[in-house]
Amino acid sequence: MSEPLSRAHALALDANDPLRDLRGEFLIPRHEGGEQTYFVGNSLGLQPRGAQAAVQEVMGQWATLAVEGHFTGPTQWLGYHRLVSGQLAQVVGALPSEVVAMNTLSVNLHLMMVSFYRPTAQRPVILMEAGAFPTDRHAVEAQIRFHGFDPADCLVEVQPDEAEGTISLQAIEQAIARHGARLALVLWPGVQYRTGQAFDLQAITTLARAQGANIGFDLAHSVGNLPLQLHEVAPDFAVWCHYKYLNSGPGAVAGAFIHERHHRDTTLPRFAGWWGHEEATRFQMAPQFVPSVGAEGWQLSNPPILGLAPLRASLDLFERAGMAALRDKSLALTGMLDALVQSRLPHVLERITPADSERRGCQLSLRVIGGRERGRALFEHLRAVGVLGDWREPDVIRISPTPLYNRYQDLHHFVDAVDAWARH
Ligand SMILES: *Cc1c(COP(=O)(O)O)cnc(C)c1O
């Protein structure tokens, strides 16, 4: 038996990894004749080899079929968005009718708030985390103003109450209880982008609904990272993007979930468009909007087919691996990274992500001891030697080993590179 934190042990784990073949399905960026060590799947996932073929297929249909491409063959564009809904539903634990790939994340967040943020004078408040991703904060503030309310009164932000800037469930519970009767909507992340903290979606949903508030999740850092059970957890809505852990390319078409209980509710306001009209009568081009039943009914436009194509290639790989197996490997990878950092780099890096694996996904957010200048120097050094993480001001490097294409030996590349720099 080799030492658990030895390179030999990491190599043995890689050799016996049941998911090891999946790495070969991705294009790994090069560095000085070798491969980069890429830990930025939380920001832009790597390109699946199948993505180019999926895009080429659409280009070919356009070339040879032109407008007939809308109606010809198994990948006809008329129902193209539906080609991904079964596999996507698997990834997020939903019914296929509850998910749709459309628009981009910020757009979907607005569209969902149009339907699920219905402020009244008695209940005007949106509750969210302080330090949310800026677009979420901007969208919430804009929605409050759009309804004629004042964010100073109607936006409640829950402050971090734990030492590393994370938020306890008790703090969320207290905030929901304190504002309960005035809460219209709770909007919460699945995984916090800066700290990497994962939240208990079921507990938060239960707390919000018990107060009569709607609940929506931003799952940008959760989808493809943690197993999700959206149908069972039963928030009103969720939104996410597909270019992070879902590997579908820069600016990829995003996703949305709308729980089944809302699918036939015609009293919900929505910003309608013709692609959300029921398919059977869409091309009768009548003036009256009749929504499709399900998440598809929230679509506006005919989708960007070229933008959707890479998602199909990525979802094939998620189906092949399965979220449960990916989570098992992710726990082992991130656990090993954590142990390596604690044992070999305690004087260089300190983790701000929770230690409890139930409260995190792939990502470890590592604060560089010694401040911003030292942190930037380390980050630039890592980039120069082909080890890619990403930087969050003022002093945090995020490292996200993803189970689809990262290896145990990659963790040693990272720790060795930091160690060599710190000794130098
Ligand atoms: C990545 C991310 C976004 C990005 O929004 P886009 O509309 O895709 O540009 C929004 N919110 C969160 C929490 C994110 O992590």
Side-chain angles (χ1 to χ4, degrees):
M1 267 298 288
S2 51
E3 287 296 317
L5 295 184
S6 68
R7 177 177 280 274
H9 186 65
L11 290 170
L13 288 176
D14 284 329
N16 293 310
D17 175 6
L19 300 178
R20 68 172 185 267
D21 291 344
L22 286 160
R23 179 176 168 89
E25 300 290 343
F26 289 88
L27 293 162
I28 316 284
R30 309 291 296 172
H31 176 79
E32 291 181 354
E35 286 173 337
Q36 242 180 30
T37 304
Y38 195 82
F39 291 117
V40 209
N42 61 329
S43 181
L44 185 73
L46 292 179
Q47 183 180 141
R49 287 187 185 275
Q52 199 158 18
V55 172
Q56 281 301 340
E57 177 184 55
V58 179
M59 295 298 281
Q61 289 168 319
W62 179 22
T64 58
L65 300 168
V67 72
E68 297 292 326
H70 284 294
F71 317 105
T72 309
T75 57
Q76 55 178 269
W77 307 330
L78 185 61
Y80 200 89
H81 58 275
R82 215 168 292 132
L83 294 175
V84 299
S85 34
Q87 289 171 317
L88 192 52
Q90 286 287 317
V91 170
V92 300
L95 307 175
S97 63
E98 291 175 314
V99 298
V100 62
M102 61 179 186
N103 312 311
T104 51
L105 191 166
S106 304
V107 173
N108 289 342
L109 182 54
H110 273 296
L111 292 178
M112 293 300 108
M113 285 197 281
V114 163
S115 294
F116 298 107
Y117 174 52
R118 306 296 306 148
T120 61
Q122 292 74 37
R123 260 190 198 276
V125 169
I126 300 181
L127 183 129
M128 69 189 303
E129 50 152 352
F133 196 95
T135 206
D136 300 62
R137 179 73 169 61
H138 302 328
V140 161
E141 189 171 329
Q143 287 282 334
I144 290 171
R145 288 188 200 284
F146 178 73
H147 285 281
F149 290 93
D150 179 1
D153 177 45
C154 299
L155 171 51
V156 171
E157 294 174 282
V158 182
Q159 298 294 332
D161 62 326
E162 295 176 336
E164 305 301 350
T166 48
I167 305 181
S168 69
L169 186 59
Q170 293 92 295
I172 301 168
E173 190 170 356
Q174 280 166 15
I176 290 177
R178 183 166 342 112
H179 299 279
R182 294 187 77 227
L183 279 184
L185 174 68
V186 175
L187 176 68
W188 209 260
V191 173
Q192 217 283 345
Y193 79 100
R194 200 177 51 77
T195 63
Q197 178 184 6
F199 292 97
D200 183 340
L201 305 188
Q202 183 66 75
I204 296 169
T205 301
T206 303
L207 289 167
R209 294 189 69 190
Q211 295 290 346
N214 282 341
I215 167 79
F217 290 111
D218 183 334
L219 301 178
H221 283 266
S222 308
V223 168
N225 177 5
L226 291 167
L228 297 166
Q229 297 299 335
L230 289 182
H231 179 73
E232 264 180 62
V233 169
D236 296 283
F237 72 87
V239 293
W240 58 87
C241 55
H242 286 136
Y243 47 81
K244 292 171 179 162
Y245 295 104
L246 260 289
N247 311 309
S248 299
V253 177
F257 163 92
I258 296 128
H259 194 270
E260 189 183 29
R261 66 180 176 276
H262 298 300
H263 288 187
R264 290 173 190 281
D265 183 353
T266 50
T267 67
L268 282 176
R270 71 177 102 187
F271 284 175
W274 76 310
W275 221 254
H277 191 282
E278 64 171 10
E279 194 174 305
T281 58
R282 185 185 299 147
F283 288 90
Q284 291 172 9
M285 302 304 222
Q288 193 68 34
F289 179 70
V290 181
S292 293
V293 174
E296 285 182 21
W298 272 263
Q299 295 175 105
L300 298 182
S301 299
N302 74 99
I305 305 296
L306 287 166
L308 274 173
L311 178 58
R312 295 184 58 210
S314 178
L315 286 170
D316 283 346
L317 300 177
F318 276 92
E319 181 171 6
R320 203 168 118 188
M323 278 310 299
L326 287 169
R327 175 61 171 161
D328 286 346
K329 181 177 169 187
S330 174
L331 285 167
L333 277 171
T334 299
M336 181 183 282
L337 173 61
D338 196 5
L340 281 167
V341 169
Q342 307 282 326
S343 80
R344 291 189 44 200
L345 305 170
H347 49 295
V348 191
L349 298 172
E350 76 191 332
R351 166 175 43 66
I352 62 172
T353 306
D356 178 358
S357 60
E358 290 292 305
R359 298 180 74 209
R360 69 190 187 196
C362 298
Q363 172 183 328
L364 288 189
S365 299
L366 301 168
R367 178 182 293 134
V368 184
I369 295 165
R372 186 177 187 282
E373 289 317 304
R374 187 161 186 251
R376 282 302 306 183
L378 171 58
F379 179 71
E380 291 303 336
H381 169 77
L382 290 173
R383 195 155 70 174
V385 298
V387 177
L388 268 280
D390 73 356
W391 177 258
R392 281 290 169 266
E393 294 291 348
D395 55 5
V396 170
I397 296 177
R398 300 188 303 180
I399 299 291
S400 303
T402 68
L404 273 174
Y405 48 77
N406 281 118
R407 301 168 301 186
Y408 295 93
Q409 61 193 277
D410 296 345
L411 309 174
H412 282 267
H413 294 172
F414 168 73
V415 174
D416 290 347
V418 176
D419 192 39
W421 173 84
R423 285 166 191 280
H424 156 83

